[in-house]
Amino acid sequence: MTATSPALTPPADAIPPVRHPDAPAPGELLGAHYEHCFGCGGGQPHGLHLEARAGEGVTVTAEFTVTPDHQGAPGLAHGGVLATALDETLGSLNWLLRVIAVTGRLETDFARPVPVGTVLHLEAQVTAVHGRKIYSTAVGRIGGPDGPVAVRADALFIEVKVDHFIDNGRPEEIQAAMSDPDQVRRARAFEVNP
């Protein structure tokens, strides 16, 4: 893996992350944050349908199966799809902090090809928090949770207010999400989108 860029290195006065007391319990399936999310939503027929689970501390694990719809080269996952899986997994961490945050920077390293039919096992953790900045890292493995590393990423998420989505999203989708009577689903709809 190449050296992390200075933008992804937490400053000396950054603090360790603290899991929110109301965060899902370790092992709990987090579910889709938004039905139409390409990464985790069930409403996307060609999406990743990534399933993330809360881990210990401020960590998550996730899995997705590479389908023929996710190809770049014949029989291999597209690098952008793999970066999306990493971004989605990293974004899920924000639910454990109970903050709304967007991807500010994502650096991805590709270590080996990921064939169609492979289950990619992902692990992510928040490493530090500095004001509105959330620093995190993830790894994706093939052949099982302890298998060889295929992809890695370091990321910087920025905490935002829900106005970020209201001001920039399409009004019909924003209104539909805001009018959901389920308060948790309503909050989660705005969890990780850029």
Side-chain angles (χ1 to χ4, degrees):
M1 184 161 131
T2 59
T4 301
S5 73
L8 294 173
T9 302
D13 61 341
I15 60 172
V18 176
R19 183 188 189 99
H20 192 278
D22 295 330
E28 187 174 326
L29 186 64
L30 299 181
H33 73 92
Y34 178 55
E35 179 67 15
H36 300 289
C37 173
F38 180 79
C40 66
Q44 289 291 341
H46 303 295
L48 304 185
H49 304 144
L50 188 133
E51 292 188 347
R53 289 189 180 279
E56 297 292 332
V58 189
T59 67
V60 298
T61 59
E63 291 183 357
F64 94 95
T65 301
V66 178
T67 72
D69 295 319
H70 304 141
Q71 291 181 87
L76 298 174
H78 189 288
V81 168
L82 298 175
T84 299
L86 288 161
D87 185 44
E88 186 69 30
T89 304
L90 289 157
S92 296
L93 291 164
N94 297 315
W95 190 239
L96 302 180
L97 299 173
R98 291 306 258 263
V99 299
I100 299 170
V102 296
T103 310
R105 186 174 186 98
L106 177 70
E107 288 187 13
T108 306
D109 294 308
F110 302 92
R112 66 179 62 233
V114 180
V116 168
T118 299
V119 176
L120 189 66
H121 300 268
L122 299 131
E123 298 175 42
Q125 68 176 355
V126 175
T127 57
V129 176
H130 188 258
R132 293 177 44 227
K133 295 180 177 181
I134 302 163
Y135 297 85
S136 53
T137 189
V139 64
R141 298 174 183 272
I142 57 177
D146 297 319
V149 173
V151 291
R152 295 179 191 92
D154 291 303
L156 171 64
F157 281 78
I158 309 297
E159 186 175 351
V160 296
K161 302 292 183 207
V162 75
D163 294 351
H164 170 86
F165 303 98
I166 294 168
D167 295 345
N168 296 292
R170 287 195 330 172
E172 53 271 25
E173 278 92 357
I174 297 297
Q175 185 56 44
M178 294 294 283
S179 62
D180 190 322
D182 184 306
Q183 184 177 14
V184 172
R185 274 198 319 255
R186 188 170 56 243
R188 289 207 61 207
F190 303 101
E191 179 179 293
V192 297
N193 296 328

